[in-house]
Amino acid sequence: MPEAKPLARRNLALLGFLLLLLVLWQAVWSLGLLPSYSLPSPAQVAVRLAELARDGTLWPSVQASVVRMVLGFVLSAALGLVLGLAMGLSALADSCLRSLFLGLQTLPSAAWVPIALLLFGLGDAAIYFVIVMSSMAAMAIATADGISHIPPHYLRAARSLGTSGVALSTRVALPAALPSIVTGIKLGWTLGWHGVVSAELIKSSIGLGYLLNAGRELNDAAQVVGIMLVTIFMGLLLDRVLFAWVERRIRVRWGFAPDTSRE
Amino acid sequence: MTTAAIAGSAAAPARITLSGVTKRFVTPRTSVNALGPISLDVAEGEFVVLVGPSGCGKTTLLNLVAGFETPTDGEVRVDGALVAGPGPDRAMIFQEPALFPWLNIEDNVAFGLRQHTHMSAAERRAVALEYLRLVHLEGFEHAFVHELSGGMKQRAALARALAPRPRALLCDEPFGSLDALTRERLYAELQELHAQTRRTTMFVTHNTREAACLADRVVVLTTRPATIASVVAVDLPRPRNFYDPHVSEQAGQILAQLRAEPTAAGGGLDA
Ligand SMILES: Nc1ncnc2c1ncn2[C@@H]1O[C@H](COP(=O)(O)OP(=O)(O)OP(=O)(O)O)[C@@H](O)[C@H]1O
Ligand SMILES: [Mg+2]
């Protein structure tokens, strides 16, 4: 395994970099460059997070955000895939939907929250709506692009092997577009996560966004920074663990990366 | 060497008729007369080889028969019916092997068997393995596409095209990237297959010896836009050996016909 050594070295470098950031943060705090009520020290943040975990505030909120995210994201990905497929297969659908989606994408996810509250009231439906509106367009566009970039001889070969209609989509177009679709899903996951936290920030009684806002209302900078770190961590976790694995499998299968799993 | 599943009763071979076919590609920047006018009748079970200079329109001609393109003028008919689009009766082997990277080799070869809805998954698998053996790829059924060499991919593409037993086979320089030895073996296999199934075949090549070895008739094309410069009937007994002196002699004749062609573009001489 010739790859192992550079990988270990890269991880070590990353660890060193994170430590450096931590030292910088501590230095800024120790030197009193910012007022202490606006910037907590790393230790204060760690203590506050431990408190939140111990008094049973943190975990239910993490859980609530993740559950909302997963439900909203599945809905969003399903819609994005179907619409992207339609765009990829029909020039008419593409020209109509693409400009709409590009337009919608210019809105930051927080901008969807007011209209979501007006449409759906205070329930979780409003949050799902924000997730879908934040992430679906990116996944639809990636799917459509993936399909329109399929080498034409794949489709030709499939058709002269007797494939047509729905089977042409499911057996050829979607798998051929898979690398691009996975890229879109990764992007969609990040955008959807923005959506959940934005929505919770403005109207919710549980969730990471709620804890962020509660921290601000209590002037608890340690809680604000701590919850931000948890939000980053949870967002990265799925991206790095699940999607990175899927992406790697595809790269191996397509021949873009060496196969290290079957040695 | 070929087994029952391969040699067994194939569907009747197709008759391919081109009448006054031309193809012009119009893009916003240019307009290219790629082909024709060409009229050609390929009989049921006939093996026709097309030779012609690079860029003269050979791939375009096969694409028209396959139904991937529509002629600008004229008609392409298969058994009297106008070609309206691609279909499983006409299998195409492309200049670059178009294997699907999301499937392993066995699933690629079995891909076209789905159209035979009476076949079970196990039967499809058995047939796929048989064709993989035919092209000497046994042991690679679970390999990914990128794990095969260029020539192995080309052989897998051949197996994939043959497995569903199409009525006509359209080959676009399928052996371009193969070594001499593998090629010779495949010439023998292809001739044996053709003798057994009499599948109508249109085969494009640059190699005149390959043409003489395989063809019932060799159609020599002019430079772009390709028209028929001459037709050479090859009346040698089969199976033919690639290095047979009679094959060499025929190849020499075909080469002479090709050389007679004006090399400057735009020369569209009719024979
Ligand atoms: N889709 C297309 N759009 C525009 N022009 C095209 C298209 N396909 C082919 N042509 C043109 O038509 C002509 C014939 O191309 P074709 O691919 O049929 O040649 P060929 O005889 O197969 O050449 P080669 O032996 O190099 O494979 C070329 O001049 C090419 O530029
Ligand atoms: Mg060509």
Side-chain angles (χ1 to χ4, degrees):
Chain A
M1 286 238 292
E3 288 231 314
K5 217 192 231 159
L7 191 70
R9 196 181 311 154
R10 243 182 328 185
N11 283 342
L12 216 65
L14 177 63
L15 203 68
F17 177 67
L18 291 178
L19 269 173
L20 183 73
L21 286 183
L22 209 62
V23 168
L24 262 174
W25 176 7
Q26 181 69 46
V28 169
W29 185 79
S30 303
L31 295 172
L33 294 178
L34 287 168
S36 63
Y37 55 82
S38 69
L39 183 78
S41 76
Q44 286 170 333
V45 169
V47 168
R48 184 73 188 114
L49 275 181
E51 274 171 22
L52 286 171
R54 215 173 320 114
D55 69 11
T57 322
L58 184 63
W59 177 239
S61 274
V62 169
Q63 207 180 9
S65 293
V66 169
V67 167
R68 284 165 176 157
M69 176 61 192
V70 169
L71 291 178
F73 182 72
V74 167
L75 181 65
S76 176
L79 283 170
L81 227 66
V82 170
L83 290 174
L85 186 64
M87 289 162 73
L89 298 177
S90 143
L92 181 70
D94 189 80
S95 57
C96 295
L97 290 176
R98 185 173 291 262
S99 23
L100 175 69
F101 284 165
L102 289 175
L104 293 184
Q105 273 198 300
T106 60
L107 281 175
S109 44
W112 286 104
V113 179
I115 188 73
L117 294 176
L118 289 174
L119 283 173
F120 295 99
L122 304 181
D124 273 5
I127 296 181
Y128 298 140
F129 177 78
V130 174
I131 297 172
V132 170
M133 295 319 283
S134 315
S135 61
M136 179 191 63
M139 292 189 277
I141 288 175
T143 305
D145 285 347
I147 287 171
S148 56
H149 290 136
I150 296 173
H153 57 260
Y154 287 165
L155 294 171
R156 288 182 164 185
R159 290 173 72 196
S160 67
L161 287 165
T163 313
S164 59
V166 177
L168 203 59
S169 302
T170 54
R171 295 186 62 207
V172 185
L174 282 178
L178 207 57
S180 172
I181 291 174
V182 171
T183 307
I185 282 183
K186 275 182 60 152
L187 179 61
W189 176 266
T190 305
L191 292 171
W193 191 234
H194 294 180
V196 183
V197 179
S198 304
E200 290 172 345
L201 205 54
I202 294 174
K203 194 65 224 175
S204 181
S205 52
I206 189 166
L208 289 170
Y210 161 76
L211 287 183
L212 267 180
N213 197 43
R216 185 193 61 83
E217 280 173 357
L218 300 170
N219 274 327
D220 186 345
Q223 175 166 336
V224 169
V225 173
I227 296 299
M228 283 170 73
L229 291 177
V230 174
T231 305
I232 292 172
F233 179 76
M234 292 309 298
L236 277 183
L237 195 66
L238 256 137
D239 182 72
R240 280 301 145 103
V241 175
L242 179 63
F243 296 134
W245 178 79
V246 172
E247 215 173 25
R248 172 140 190 95
R249 291 309 310 155
I250 288 174
R251 287 172 61 79
V252 165
R253 188 155 262 239
W254 256 248
F256 299 150
D259 190 352
T260 48
S261 70
R262 299 196 302 179
E263 240 77 317
Chain B
M1 160 164 283
T2 39
T3 49
I6 291 170
S9 65
R15 179 195 188 95
I16 300 168
T17 320
L18 292 89
S19 33
V21 171
T22 66
K23 180 67 186 178
R24 170 199 282 271
F25 290 105
V26 183
T27 65
R29 279 158 289 119
T30 54
S31 141
V32 181
N33 278 320
L35 185 74
I38 274 195
S39 295
L40 179 66
D41 201 354
V42 184
E44 292 90 344
E46 194 181 8
F47 200 122
V48 166
V49 172
L50 303 156
V51 295
S54 176
C56 76
K58 301 180 295 297
T59 299
T60 306
L61 178 63
L62 289 191
N63 281 342
L64 289 167
V65 177
F68 301 142
E69 309 267 10
T70 47
T72 310
D73 280 309
E75 292 176 345
V76 181
R77 290 177 182 272
V78 172
D79 292 332
L82 219 58
V83 167
D89 54 329
R90 287 150 289 144
M92 179 91 156
I93 301 173
F94 298 85
Q95 218 163 346
E96 315 116 60
L99 297 171
F100 303 135
W102 59 93
L103 298 178
N104 67 22
I105 298 306
E106 179 189 307
D107 292 340
N108 263 285
V109 174
F111 189 91
L113 296 172
R114 287 281 186 104
Q115 61 181 279
H116 302 309
T117 42
H118 62 274
M119 289 178 91
S120 69
E123 282 169 325
R124 288 199 298 264
R125 191 180 132 81
V127 171
L129 288 177
E130 205 145 345
Y131 279 90
L132 280 173
R133 255 197 302 280
L134 179 76
V135 295
H136 304 284
L137 282 176
E138 56 271 73
F140 285 92
E141 49 272 19
H142 299 299
F144 293 147
V145 173
H146 71 93
E147 292 169 337
L148 265 54
S149 75
M152 290 161 85
K153 282 183 203 151
Q154 206 52 273
R155 273 142 61 199
L158 179 65
R160 183 177 70 173
L162 291 173
R165 292 201 208 158
R167 301 174 53 216
L169 198 56
L170 310 170
C171 308
D172 195 357
E173 299 181 41
F175 301 151
S177 56
L178 299 184
D179 66 292
L181 235 81
T182 311
R183 229 193 260 211
E184 253 178 84
R185 211 159 51 192
L186 282 173
Y187 293 147
E189 296 285 4
L190 204 61
Q191 288 189 74
E192 192 187 343
L193 261 165
H194 187 67
Q196 284 167 350
T197 61
R198 300 304 302 172
R199 196 176 272 124
T200 309
T201 306
M202 294 179 79
F203 190 107
V204 167
T205 180
H206 283 294
N207 187 326
T208 52
R209 194 192 279 268
E210 184 171 295
C213 180
L214 296 173
D216 294 322
R217 260 194 310 163
V218 179
V219 175
V220 180
L221 299 170
T222 63
T223 48
R224 184 177 63 80
T227 54
I228 297 176
S230 57
V231 178
V232 181
V234 184
D235 278 326
L236 301 172
R238 291 180 186 273
R240 300 170 190 158
N241 185 313
F242 190 67
Y243 293 107
D244 187 306
H246 297 292
V247 168
S248 308
E249 192 186 320
Q250 281 282 2
Q253 274 177 33
I254 297 162
L255 193 61
Q257 296 288 347
L258 265 173
R259 290 230 172 94
E261 277 316 297
T263 42
L269 295 177
D270 267 313

